[in-house]
Amino acid sequence: MRQLDPAIAASRPLAFFGWRLESDLGQKTQTAGTQILNAWGFKLSPGQHCSSLQEVQEFFDATQKKRDKLDFWIDGIVVRVDDNRAFEDFGVVGKTPRGLVAYKFPPEEVITRVESVDWFVGRTGALTPVANVTAVFVAGTTVTHATFHNADGSSASRLQGRRYRRAHQSRRHYS
């Protein structure tokens, strides 16, 4: 999103989905807050009200099946407590409200070719092998470099130019 040239960022089609109304206008539930946002003309994030863990699982499964057809990339769903008082009573750990739980989909994986391996020296002197790979689109982005985790020097060097490797895009997990 951030660019040195603001014209590049301005040219990108941005969209906003309302998620939560942070003002107290008398609403007792998250659902009532999103209804207010909808009445004000905001687009709402797609979702549904679930009354049981079984319904949450069914929504998770259905969303996972259709996520490739969405106009935006997602890596999972977030379940939140609907009752505002209960949500506040659960409190916050760090910056994460305990009334929210993220359920992540399995990472997308693709096969690509390792073209070369570069070595980088970290600030503590640790060596990290980084693979330069044939460009591949995964998890909403084009990947051209991959860090080898738990690889020693000999195994990383042997992969160069002749082996195909499975690559996946890692995302942060919030819960």
Side-chain angles (χ1 to χ4, degrees):
M1 177 67 197
R2 291 176 55 186
Q3 297 289 322
L4 292 176
D5 181 358
I8 294 173
S11 72
R12 293 183 174 168
L14 299 178
F16 167 81
F17 290 107
W19 166 256
R20 177 183 169 152
L21 180 61
E22 287 292 329
S23 291
D24 183 0
L25 301 177
Q27 72 275 15
K28 302 289 184 209
T29 64
Q30 298 278 355
T31 301
T34 57
Q35 289 170 345
I36 293 169
L37 289 172
N38 190 41
W40 288 346
F42 288 100
K43 283 183 165 181
L44 302 178
S45 59
Q48 76 178 44
H49 187 274
C50 297
S51 298
S52 69
L53 291 176
Q54 177 65 32
E55 287 182 27
V56 170
Q57 184 64 52
E58 290 168 3
F59 178 72
F60 177 86
D61 294 340
T63 304
Q64 184 175 2
K65 287 177 186 170
K66 69 180 180 183
R67 74 176 177 159
D68 291 335
K69 296 173 185 74
L70 296 173
D71 293 334
F72 48 89
W73 187 85
I74 61 172
D75 63 351
I77 65 168
V78 175
V79 177
R80 65 182 181 189
V81 173
D82 194 42
D83 182 271
N84 286 343
R85 178 166 290 176
F87 186 88
E88 294 302 322
D89 288 347
F90 280 125
V92 175
V93 175
K95 295 181 180 181
T96 306
R98 292 177 128 182
L100 301 174
V101 178
Y103 290 93
K104 300 297 185 181
F105 301 134
E108 295 179 45
E109 295 184 341
V110 296
I111 303 294
T112 188
R113 182 176 179 83
V114 177
E115 301 294 336
S116 63
V117 178
D118 293 328
W119 292 87
F120 291 91
V121 180
R123 65 175 181 78
T124 63
L127 290 174
T128 302
V130 176
N132 299 301
V133 300
T134 303
V136 63
F137 191 77
V138 60
T141 189
T142 301
V143 176
T144 56
H145 306 283
T147 303
F148 286 111
H149 294 282
N150 303 321
D152 64 20
S154 61
S155 64
S157 296
R158 285 194 315 263
L159 293 174
Q160 183 172 321
R162 61 189 180 95
R163 299 262 179 116
Y164 289 87
R165 299 294 292 176
R166 186 174 60 224
H168 71 270
Q169 180 73 8
S170 298
R171 296 286 182 201
R172 289 185 174 164
H173 174 71
Y174 299 101
S175 61

